[in-house]
């Protein structure tokens, strides 16, 4: 098996290397939240820094109870005993693949690590595109057909994964698509894994959010963490909510966890328990983050649209997925190369997300536009009009110039 560095991490390292060499590169390739840590969380982490024991494999009781309360406030009553914590939701997803076994249905395009993790555990993913205009949820009708075909060929298909809202498209699946997928999952006895790491960053929180766990609580595992909503990616903490009564799955998941990470870092767990308790100052921070990410995602979308790119309007997180095929420049790798090397704009090619390499779609992340220093990022976070801040306006102008030059064939 050939294992390569994650496309997102590789792009981030390449762009940082170019910047250190003095190149002007607009960094739109890495999905980091790009905001400072809230002081209350820093204080909690510092106060807990003396706690150096391993602790329970499932995670500290205080964190599991806080996570259960987080889900309960979103209409998902949760038994703390069926919450499992890990060093990020990414390791938890990997452990779930090991615990569930069999092949998995993935949306395509989808986050680069899903298919890579499946390959690492020996699973052959079934790649199914979403309904037109949506993202993160494979088309239910095609899921049913693909699973039946695979099973007829002797394969074991055990699960289907959804991302709400989606990375890379920034789109949120409709409740109707989720309801149809749940019907298929029940009919074919599939476990649903719902990656909801961006749930609290849906740009318009007014419409009710639908999780598969609302519709099929008996077969849905939900994962989330604090890397996106509270910009704690480097702290590495995630939680998984298992279905009621899923003690056999819990046992398998803990067995895997015990051999890979033993237990999440104790000081981080204490800070995370405070965060999942959602005190007012952190609720306010998440609301400000949601507003800023949405403002920048819409602004970048407008600039791609002005260049003629087709791209559904982003609905959550900090991504969009424009199609530059109208320019006739080649597939996603060539378009990403031209943007970076000739116009100083770093994006990720769509083929890294499982998309057709011949399509000219790229994943654009807007979260590193907030600023280069903590002071700039905090100013952007609290600004009523962040697009007028000089450093953000300059980056958006750089993007517009680069897209115009790309369209005209000029370096």
């Amino acid at each position: 098996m050939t294992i390569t560095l994650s496309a997102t991490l590789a792009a981030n390292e390449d762009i940082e290397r170019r910047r250190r060499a003095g190149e002007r590169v607009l960094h739109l390739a890495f999905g980091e939240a790009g905001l400072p840590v809230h002081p209350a969380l820093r204080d909690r982490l510092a106060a807990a820094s003396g706690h150096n024991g391993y602790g329970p494999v499932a995670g500290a009781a205080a964190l599991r109870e806080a996570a259960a309360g987080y889900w309960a406030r979103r209409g998902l009553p949760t038994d703390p005993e069926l919450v499992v914590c890990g060093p990020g939701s990414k390791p938890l997803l990997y452990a779930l693949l090991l615990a569930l076994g069999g092949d998995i249905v993935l949306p395509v395009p989808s986050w680069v690590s899903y298919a890579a993790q499946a390959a690492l555990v020996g699973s052959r993913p079934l790649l199914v595109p979403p309904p037109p205009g949506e993202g993160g949820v494979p088309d239910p009708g095609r899921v049913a057909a693909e699973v039946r075909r695979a099973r007829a060929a002797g394969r074991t298909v055990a699960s289907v994964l959804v991302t709400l809202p989606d990375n890379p498209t920034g789109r949120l699946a409709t409740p109707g698509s989720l309801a149809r997928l749940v019907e298929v999952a029940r009919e074919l006895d599939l476990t649903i894994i719902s990656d909801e790491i961006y749930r609290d960053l849906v740009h318009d929180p007014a419409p009710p959010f639908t999780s598969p766990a609302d519709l099929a609580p008996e077969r849905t595992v939900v994962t989330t963490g604090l890397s996106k909503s509270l910009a704690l990616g480097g702290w590495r903490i995630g939680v998984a909510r298992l279905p009621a009564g899923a003690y056999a799955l819990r046992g398998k998941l803990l067995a895997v966890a015990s051999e890979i990470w033993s237990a999440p870092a104790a000081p981080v767990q204490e800070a995370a328990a405070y965060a999942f308790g959602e005190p007012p100052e952190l609720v306010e921070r998440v609301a400000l983050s949601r507003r800023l990410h949405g403002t920048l995602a819409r602004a970048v979308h407008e600039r791609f649209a002005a260049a003629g790119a087709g791209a559904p309007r982003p609905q959550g997180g900090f991504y969009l997925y424009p199609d530059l095929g109208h320019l006739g420049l080649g597939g996603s790798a060539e378009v990403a190369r031209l943007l970076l090397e000739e116009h100083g704009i770093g994006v990720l090619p769509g083929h890294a997300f499982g998309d057709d390499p011949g399509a000219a779609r790229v994943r654009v992340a807007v979260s590193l536009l907030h600023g280069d220093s903590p002071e700039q990022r905090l100013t952007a976070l609290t600004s009523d009009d962040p697009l007028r801040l000089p450093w953000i306006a300059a980056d958006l102008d750089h993007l517009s110039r680069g897209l115009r030059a790309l369209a005209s064939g000029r370096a």
Side-chain angles (χ1 to χ4, degrees), residues 269-349:
Q269 289 190 75
E270 292 209 20
Y274 180 72
F276 278 114
E278 299 184 289
E281 67 272 20
L282 297 188
V283 170
E284 179 188 27
R285 169 58 67 90
V286 172
L288 291 172
S289 302
R290 181 190 308 120
R291 183 183 69 173
L292 177 60
H293 294 316
T295 298
L296 287 175
R298 289 188 293 272
V300 171
H301 176 265
E302 288 171 3
R303 280 148 181 82
F304 273 93
R313 184 181 175 91
Q315 296 172 294
F318 25 81
Y319 306 112
L320 58 149
Y321 198 66
D323 188 335
L324 293 159
H326 68 292
L327 299 178
L329 298 173
S332 62
E334 179 63 9
V335 169
R337 185 193 69 80
L338 289 170
L339 282 169
L340 178 59
E341 295 183 0
E342 298 189 8
H343 307 290
I345 299 170
V347 299
L348 278 183

Side-chain angles (χ1 to χ4, degrees), residues 222-407:
V222 180
T223 64
T224 192
L226 302 172
S227 60
K228 310 304 179 182
S229 61
L230 285 168
L232 298 181
W235 289 21
R236 310 309 304 139
I237 193 72
V239 289
R241 176 191 185 274
L242 307 185
Y247 291 102
L249 175 58
R250 179 182 186 272
K252 292 179 182 178
L253 189 57
L254 293 183
V256 171
S258 72
E259 301 296 353
I260 297 179
W261 63 76
S262 300
V268 176
Q269 289 190 75
E270 292 209 20
Y274 180 72
F276 278 114
E278 299 184 289
E281 67 272 20
L282 297 188
V283 170
E284 179 188 27
R285 169 58 67 90
V286 172
L288 291 172
S289 302
R290 181 190 308 120
R291 183 183 69 173
L292 177 60
H293 294 316
T295 298
L296 287 175
R298 289 188 293 272
V300 171
H301 176 265
E302 288 171 3
R303 280 148 181 82
F304 273 93
R313 184 181 175 91
Q315 296 172 294
F318 25 81
Y319 306 112
L320 58 149
Y321 198 66
D323 188 335
L324 293 159
H326 68 292
L327 299 178
L329 298 173
S332 62
E334 179 63 9
V335 169
R337 185 193 69 80
L338 289 170
L339 282 169
L340 178 59
E341 295 183 0
E342 298 189 8
H343 307 290
I345 299 170
V347 299
L348 278 183
H351 73 80
F353 300 87
D355 208 346
D356 177 4
R361 291 182 282 269
V362 295
R363 204 281 308 267
V364 177
V366 306
S367 50
L368 295 184
L369 295 176
H370 304 155
D372 293 328
S373 67
E375 293 76 19
Q376 286 185 342
R377 293 166 186 162
L378 280 175
T379 299
L381 184 68
T382 56
S383 173
D384 290 331
D385 191 1
L387 304 184
R388 294 178 64 87
L389 295 173
W391 56 94
I392 292 178
D395 280 347
L396 292 175
D397 288 344
H398 178 91
L399 174 62
S400 294
R401 287 194 303 272
L403 291 174
R404 286 195 299 268
L406 181 73

Side-chain angles (χ1 to χ4, degrees), residues 31-55:
E32 188 164 48
L35 291 168
V37 177
H38 194 285
L41 289 171
R42 290 204 309 269
D43 291 345
R44 293 278 170 163
L45 184 66
S49 61
H51 298 181
N52 60 346
Y54 283 107

Side-chain angles (χ1 to χ4, degrees), residues 170-195:
R171 298 290 289 173
L172 184 62
T174 66
S177 292
L178 284 169
R180 290 192 297 274
L181 183 69
V182 162
E183 292 174 3
V184 170
R186 283 199 173 111
E187 179 183 353
L188 299 177
D189 193 23
L190 298 171
T191 296
I192 302 170
I193 302 172
S194 187
D195 182 351

Side-chain angles (χ1 to χ4, degrees), residues 136-183:
V137 174
D139 185 278
R142 296 181 65 172
V143 168
E146 291 293 333
V147 171
R148 291 192 179 99
R149 187 178 300 115
R151 286 177 174 172
R155 294 169 62 180
T156 300
V157 185
S159 56
V160 56
L161 185 144
V162 303
T163 314
L164 302 168
D166 183 40
N167 171 12
T169 67
R171 298 290 289 173
L172 184 62
T174 66
S177 292
L178 284 169
R180 290 192 297 274
L181 183 69
V182 162
E183 292 174 3

